[in-house]
Amino acid sequence: AFGTMTWKYGSLLYSHATSGLAVMAAVALILRWQTCEVSKTSQVFLGLLLGTSVLMEYTNIVFVVLVGSYWLVGRIANSPYRRRQIVLFAIGGLIPALFLMWYNTVNFGGPLKLSTFNADTTRWPQNLSFFADFATPIWVGLPAMLFYGSDNQGLFWLAPISLLGLAGLQGLWRRSRREFALIVGCFTAMLLLFSTSTTFNPYTNDGRYITPFLGLWFVVVGFGISWLQSRLEAAPTISLISFFPPLIIYGLLFLSIRNQILHIAFSWGHDLNPAMLRPWAAAPENIAALWSAVFPNALNLPLWWGVLAAGWLAWRLWQERGQAAELESLKH
């Protein structure tokens, strides 16, 4: 997260952070539950989680269709209580769907009228319709989403550490083809969808939409790191080859962090002004200007840490009190 777009968009008033939480939570629960007994409450909760993800970002409906189909076909279809489970799953999904339709009706005059297409179309002409919003040719948008194009900074450009996912695809495939289909399939589908978007600009206006699904790709990155580590373990203890795996991993990580720092500092709302910088790169004034641009709300951190510390202390006191009560009961 520190070396990807999640750093920036997880701290802004966008829905991408909570959307990412819903996406990864749904995938994690499906992977956990596909081999164990699932209660009625679990079915409702999973449907509720997937439905809520659409409230956060409309385009998550594509993800919901893919994941919901995977769950229904792979897990519920083999259950003797499949009808009941399908109904419970649907109820969970309908609760946020009904809320969204009510919201659209109150604000825009109809249950299927989305806020995206009720924006100022003189300022954002791509919001005239769905087909206007997703009209970029895939051969133009995909390179821009992955690398660079149309002034859009792509995933591998902003986070070179994500390149290790290319080396991890085979590892995930060997582990489980079903999990590969779920994880890589969902990421690829959303990547292709946003590659057809029409709002490319230098500040990754399109690239940020893939942020909730970065966690899916970084599962594959984990397999890539494991593959490099296996090369390290197979190499002689003292050899030139043994230096390459950690050099690649940490080199790409720190390059990703560097790219994120610059991306955040020069983006809208942070606005680092190069004209104010001194000629010496490492001048204290330059470092102060850079970090104040990247962390404009740094003074809030002590307050947040204080809340965390108070919560941790209260939890520890409650835990110790429970242990003391348990010891006292054992004595009696």
Side-chain angles (χ1 to χ4, degrees):
F2 192 53
T4 70
M5 293 176 284
T6 304
W7 179 7
K8 175 182 178 181
Y9 293 111
S11 62
L12 298 178
L13 292 178
Y14 285 115
S15 57
H16 307 313
T18 48
S19 176
L21 176 62
V23 166
M24 294 307 298
V27 172
L29 290 176
I30 286 174
L31 292 176
R32 181 185 179 116
W33 290 345
Q34 66 184 3
T35 57
C36 63
E37 192 64 29
V38 181
S39 66
K40 300 176 184 178
T41 307
S42 301
Q43 300 289 355
V44 176
F45 178 74
L46 182 59
L48 184 64
L49 186 63
L50 290 174
T52 303
S53 72
V54 181
L55 288 180
M56 299 167 185
E57 293 189 276
Y58 296 145
T59 45
N60 281 351
I61 188 64
V62 177
F63 169 77
V64 170
V65 170
L66 293 172
V67 169
S69 300
Y70 178 95
W71 177 246
L72 291 172
V73 173
R75 183 65 172 82
I76 295 181
N78 299 321
S79 171
Y81 308 104
R82 54 181 174 271
R83 289 186 180 178
R84 184 188 306 169
Q85 292 185 340
I86 290 174
V87 170
L88 293 171
F89 179 75
I91 290 173
L94 280 174
I95 294 172
L98 292 173
F99 174 80
L100 180 60
M101 288 190 288
W102 171 80
Y103 175 87
N104 291 337
T105 302
V106 170
N107 290 279
F108 310 114
L112 300 180
K113 291 187 177 182
L114 306 180
S115 60
T116 301
F117 306 116
N118 283 272
D120 182 1
T121 53
T122 59
R123 185 176 182 183
W124 296 290
Q126 72 275 5
N127 286 355
L128 285 170
S129 67
F130 176 84
F131 294 103
D133 205 10
F134 295 93
T136 300
I138 195 72
W139 56 86
V140 174
L142 187 58
M145 286 293 291
L146 290 178
F147 295 100
Y148 187 86
S150 303
D151 291 329
N152 193 76
Q153 303 171 56
L155 173 61
F156 297 146
W157 178 289
L158 283 173
I161 188 70
S162 59
L163 285 165
L164 293 179
L166 300 175
L169 290 169
Q170 187 178 18
L172 179 57
W173 176 263
R174 287 179 175 176
R175 169 188 163 86
S176 171
R177 295 186 179 183
R178 288 185 61 192
E179 293 180 4
F180 183 95
L182 175 64
I183 295 170
V184 178
C186 286
F187 178 81
T188 303
M190 303 310 294
L191 174 66
L192 294 175
L193 173 66
F194 297 127
S195 294
T196 64
S197 186
T198 55
T199 51
F200 287 128
N201 65 57
Y203 302 128
T204 60
N205 195 37
D206 287 354
R208 66 184 173 89
Y209 291 117
I210 203 70
T211 303
F213 306 95
L214 288 181
L216 295 174
W217 179 250
F218 272 77
V219 173
V220 191
V221 171
F223 280 89
I225 293 175
S226 296
W227 178 80
L228 278 175
Q229 288 177 330
S230 67
R231 302 283 79 77
L232 176 62
E233 293 170 359
T237 305
I238 301 177
S239 69
L240 185 62
I241 299 176
S242 64
F243 288 99
F244 281 106
L247 184 65
I248 293 172
I249 294 172
Y250 289 104
L252 290 176
L253 174 62
F254 289 125
L255 181 60
S256 300
I257 295 172
R258 174 263 182 197
N259 288 359
Q260 287 302 305
I261 289 173
L262 292 180
H263 168 61
I264 295 171
F266 288 107
S267 62
W268 181 84
H270 296 264
D271 303 321
L272 177 66
N273 186 1
M276 298 177 61
L277 301 179
R278 301 188 61 180
W280 296 100
E285 295 88 346
N286 290 356
I287 297 173
L290 176 65
W291 288 108
S292 62
V294 174
F295 298 107
N297 299 316
L299 293 178
N300 291 335
L301 284 178
L303 175 62
W304 175 235
W305 288 340
V307 172
L308 291 177
W312 177 82
L313 180 62
W315 176 76
R316 288 292 299 172
L317 292 173
W318 177 81
Q319 189 179 44
E320 290 178 3
R321 182 179 178 182
Q323 291 175 348
E326 185 177 356
L327 288 173
E328 190 67 25
S329 63
L330 288 175
K331 289 179 181 179
H332 289 296

